[in-house]
Amino acid sequence: MSAILRHARVPVFLLAASFATTSCGSTKHDTEELAAMDVTGTWESNKGGRIVFTEDGSVSFSNITQDPYCVPEDLRNAVPRASGNGTWVFETIPDEHPGVRIKFDTGLEKPAHCGLNAFWVGKRPYSEMYLRQDDGMGERYKRDPSAH
């Protein structure tokens, strides 16, 4: 019986060591930190979304994917896209790409305010970003070089 227990400890130890190696000390996808020049400008998605970040921390957006938590529960399926104005600040969620937090008033009683996260991918100069609720799948934003 003690021989079985002794041999059972080896796989448990290896599993624990593997978990510790992969979950601790995780990186931010080997990307650099963001600077204002990486964020500011006009970004357009392959599905008609548009986000304009300015150096003063303002943001305007139109036709972006709506985060379900930004609308009342009874309207979540009826309002799939959003438009508005707000502010942005640098914020990187652990285990994510460098990003910013977009904050805006919903114009509704509940929820009155909303926050979205945008993440930049690749290496500088960043050419693509996505909104967290899109999870980088299906809708990606590219910088519009003609817009100022």
Side-chain angles (χ1 to χ4, degrees), residues 37-52:
M37 66 183 222
D38 299 319
V39 175
T40 57
T42 301
W43 297 81
E44 296 183 338
S45 81
N46 55 325
K47 294 187 178 181
R50 180 180 168 98
I51 304 174
V52 180

Side-chain angles (χ1 to χ4, degrees), residues 64-77:
I64 67 170
T65 305
Q66 181 70 289
D67 187 318
Y69 297 105
C70 292
V71 295
E73 191 170 337
D74 61 331
L75 295 177
R76 288 184 182 164
N77 292 327

Side-chain angles (χ1 to χ4, degrees), residues 26-40 43 53 88-102 116-132 136 140-141 143:
S26 54
T27 64
K28 295 177 187 169
H29 301 283
D30 297 327
T31 55
E32 302 173 40
E33 290 299 315
L34 286 176
M37 66 183 222
D38 299 319
V39 175
T40 57
W43 297 81
F53 296 96
W88 67 271
V89 294
F90 291 107
E91 180 178 296
T92 300
I93 295 174
D95 295 330
E96 287 285 355
H97 297 274
V100 301
R101 179 92 170 147
I102 300 168
L116 307 174
N117 289 90
F119 300 103
W120 277 254
V121 294
K123 295 198 182 273
R124 196 173 271 136
Y126 295 106
S127 60
E128 289 189 57
M129 66 87 120
Y130 66 92
L131 297 174
R132 185 173 194 195
R140 291 273 182 135
Y141 289 78
R143 187 186 296 270

